Amino acid sequence: ASVLPRPEKSSRGVRHQPPAAMMDPAELQQQMMDKMLVGALEQVERAVDDELDRVENASEEDLAKIRANRVAEMKRKAEERVEQQRNGHGSLTKVNDQKEFFEYSKKSSRLVVLFTRDSNRHGKIMIEHLTFLAARHLEARFIWVDAENAPFLTDKLNIWMLPTIVCLKDNKVKEQHNGLDEIDSSGKYSSGMLEYLLHIDGMLDEAPLYDEELREEEQEMAESDDDN
């Protein structure tokens, strides 16, 4: 039986740059990261200015201090997001070599690992959900491992059912979910439900998708009551 409430899903540049194909991949990636950081910092400045416009009864000196503190904080977060993306955050990565698993676990303080195999129907569905969540939660890295090609890992982590999610924090196993029982044993679960599970595991900072699904369900229920 599901332990989570299940929301129903509702139906400048003057200098000419060479073509990307002629550039070194590492140089191209660095340029992309630099561009992302500049864009993120510009958004930080605009967000802080908008926030200050709403502050009342504050002196010029107070506003200057508030702005400096907020800019510093938001710049740190923006730089952190870019660094996370540089380390592979933002997408679901398939691990083809067991050594890669240990490299990823050392680089990311929060690692969500799915163990499954290509022929596992429930695993394929979970890959879709985790791909969706990975793009929205840069605070954690998401990877998946083909259990058939990782006998050492499956034995070390006692993987006895597929799919299994292993949550690692600071290179140590924090939570492990064997099968689907803790989400919905029928397999009929939403991305928001999986997001909420990983949130209460301490892997994700928030669960906005889950919250949105709950609001949609409440709105549908209210509209249904009105019709009756």
Side-chain angles (χ1 to χ4, degrees), residues 188-204:
K188 297 178 181 180
Y189 59 95
S190 66
S191 294
M193 291 174 64
L194 184 54
E195 178 190 57
Y196 179 73
L197 180 66
L198 295 174
H199 169 58
I200 61 177
D201 284 343
M203 304 305 292
L204 305 181

Side-chain angles (χ1 to χ4, degrees), residues 168-182:
L168 287 88
K169 201 163 188 178
D170 296 324
N171 208 15
K172 295 180 180 178
V173 175
K174 187 175 187 297
E175 299 289 344
Q176 183 163 326
H177 304 288
N178 301 300
L180 302 174
D181 285 349
E182 293 179 73

Side-chain angles (χ1 to χ4, degrees), residues 1-214:
S2 171
V3 298
L4 302 178
R6 179 163 62 89
E8 296 293 336
K9 296 287 287 182
S10 301
S11 327
R12 189 180 319 150
V14 176
R15 185 178 177 183
H16 175 69
Q17 295 291 342
M22 297 174 60
M23 296 178 63
D24 179 75
E27 181 182 355
L28 178 60
Q29 182 180 24
Q30 185 61 48
Q31 287 189 8
M32 292 175 64
M33 290 296 181
D34 291 343
K35 185 176 180 180
M36 290 171 57
L37 180 56
V38 170
L41 295 181
E42 289 177 347
Q43 290 181 348
V44 165
E45 295 280 354
R46 289 195 295 269
V48 171
D49 288 338
D50 290 342
E51 183 176 336
L52 291 177
D53 288 340
R54 296 192 294 268
V55 176
E56 298 179 358
N57 302 321
S59 67
E60 289 294 328
E61 183 178 356
D62 290 335
L63 290 175
K65 289 181 180 179
I66 293 173
R67 187 177 193 283
N69 290 335
R70 289 290 291 145
V71 167
E73 178 187 355
M74 296 178 73
K75 279 184 177 180
R76 179 187 61 79
K77 291 183 177 180
E79 291 169 351
E80 186 178 75
R81 287 196 299 270
V82 171
E83 181 63 24
Q84 289 169 337
Q85 289 181 313
R86 184 179 286 118
N87 286 334
H89 293 226
S91 62
L92 177 67
T93 306
K94 182 179 180 180
V95 175
N96 298 305
D97 188 319
Q98 293 182 99
K99 293 180 180 179
E100 291 179 338
F101 172 86
F102 296 103
E103 292 175 1
Y104 296 152
S105 64
K106 291 176 182 178
K107 289 182 179 180
S108 300
S109 59
R110 285 185 274 187
L111 188 67
V112 178
V113 189
L114 169 66
F115 285 85
T116 186
R117 57 171 175 256
D118 288 329
S119 60
N120 189 290
R121 179 172 61 87
H122 292 297
K124 290 180 179 180
I125 295 173
M126 189 166 286
I127 285 175
E128 294 179 2
H129 286 302
L130 290 178
T131 299
F132 185 77
L133 294 178
R136 288 157 177 77
H137 290 279
L138 298 184
E139 66 269 30
R141 180 160 194 184
F142 293 74
I143 64 175
W144 77 273
V145 180
D146 190 325
E148 292 183 340
N149 299 326
F152 174 78
L153 289 175
T154 55
D155 181 63
K156 181 179 178 63
L157 297 171
N158 191 28
I159 306 297
W160 55 273
M161 181 182 292
L162 299 178
T164 282
I165 293 179
V166 179
C167 300
L168 287 88
K169 201 163 188 178
D170 296 324
N171 208 15
K172 295 180 180 178
V173 175
K174 187 175 187 297
E175 299 289 344
Q176 183 163 326
H177 304 288
N178 301 300
L180 302 174
D181 285 349
E182 293 179 73
I183 308 174
D184 189 317
S185 58
S186 70
K188 297 178 181 180
Y189 59 95
S190 66
S191 294
M193 291 174 64
L194 184 54
E195 178 190 57
Y196 179 73
L197 180 66
L198 295 174
H199 169 58
I200 61 177
D201 284 343
M203 304 305 292
L204 305 181
D205 293 336
E206 299 174 333
L209 182 60
Y210 177 76
D211 293 338
E212 181 182 349
E213 290 175 352
L214 286 182

